[in-house]
Amino acid sequence: MGSDREFIPVRMALLTVSDSRTPAEDRSGDLLAERIRTSGHILADRQLCRDNLADISFHLRQWAQDPAIDAVLSTGGTGLTGRDVTVEAHRSLYEKEIEAFGAVFAVISMNSIGASAIQSRACAGVAQGTYFFALPGSPGACRDAWDEVLAMQFDYRNRPCNLVEIMPRLDEHLRRK
């Protein structure tokens, strides 16, 4: 990382998707909230909702329209069961998908959980100038995603490039010319 740049905090929202967890039992959400704060970013909002397409989409759309939110992380609902619809909610919102995130996350996951990594549908994209990342619901997967990818990509000092430096241009297609 280049030390010639100053850190720029990113305002993040966090959504835990679960039919079984309560806020008191949300280990993955707690881990991500702690990582966000200790990295110097701002946890602007945090919610928990059930594995329901309408509920998930509601939160994602609210945050996409909120100028006080730069990025949204969700945890849970990225698997293969019939109730796992977080990815569908995310993709219905994306203007652009960040395909490489899923591929990079799969490689990282292979190091942690071997071939079981094929069961994750982690994804990322951009909508209305906001980044969206759908992470699996396990604390280990959230730790891997943050520590190996997101911490660096949400750090303006990271070289050769990072997501923060292009944030001002994410919605340039929506502006008048």
Side-chain angles (χ1 to χ4, degrees):
M1 282 199 276
S3 59
D4 60 326
R5 291 180 172 186
E6 293 209 20
F7 181 81
I8 298 173
V10 176
R11 299 165 301 189
M12 298 186 182
L14 175 58
L15 179 65
T16 298
V17 177
S18 176
D19 285 338
S20 59
R21 293 185 193 150
T22 66
E25 302 162 331
D26 183 13
R27 291 181 25 229
S28 295
D30 289 345
L31 182 141
L32 289 168
E34 182 267 333
R35 293 288 203 277
I36 289 166
R37 288 185 187 112
T38 60
S39 293
H41 299 296
I42 299 159
L43 183 60
D45 198 1
R46 181 176 176 184
Q47 300 292 324
L48 187 143
C49 76
R50 299 185 64 74
D51 278 307
N52 175 285
L53 189 62
D55 292 345
I56 299 164
S57 296
F58 171 79
H59 289 290
L60 299 181
R61 289 185 194 292
Q62 290 277 113
W63 287 327
Q65 296 170 4
D66 187 339
I69 305 292
D70 302 314
V72 174
L73 307 181
S74 68
T75 174
T78 63
L80 301 172
T81 73
R83 296 285 300 158
D84 291 325
V85 294
T86 301
V87 173
E88 288 73 19
H90 271 255
R91 287 190 171 139
S92 73
L93 188 72
Y94 295 167
E95 295 159 2
K96 294 186 179 185
E97 188 159 359
I98 306 170
E99 289 97 352
F101 174 73
V104 169
F105 181 74
V107 170
I108 292 164
S109 294
M110 285 284 297
N111 293 328
S112 296
I113 61 172
S116 295
I118 70 163
Q119 294 183 39
S120 171
R121 298 184 302 138
C123 65
V126 177
Q128 297 181 15
T130 304
Y131 290 113
F132 289 84
F133 289 85
L135 310 177
S138 78
C142 291
R143 184 180 310 105
D144 287 347
W146 183 268
D147 293 353
E148 301 295 327
V149 180
L150 300 176
M152 289 158 292
Q153 282 299 298
F154 282 120
D155 190 333
Y156 181 65
R157 301 167 297 184
N158 187 63
R159 301 286 180 118
C161 58
N162 59 75
L163 295 174
V164 179
E165 64 193 356
I166 61 172
M167 278 175 33
R169 297 185 56 209
L170 291 179
D171 65 352
E172 65 190 2
H173 67 289
L174 302 174
R175 292 183 235 141
R176 282 193 168 157
K177 297 196 181 216

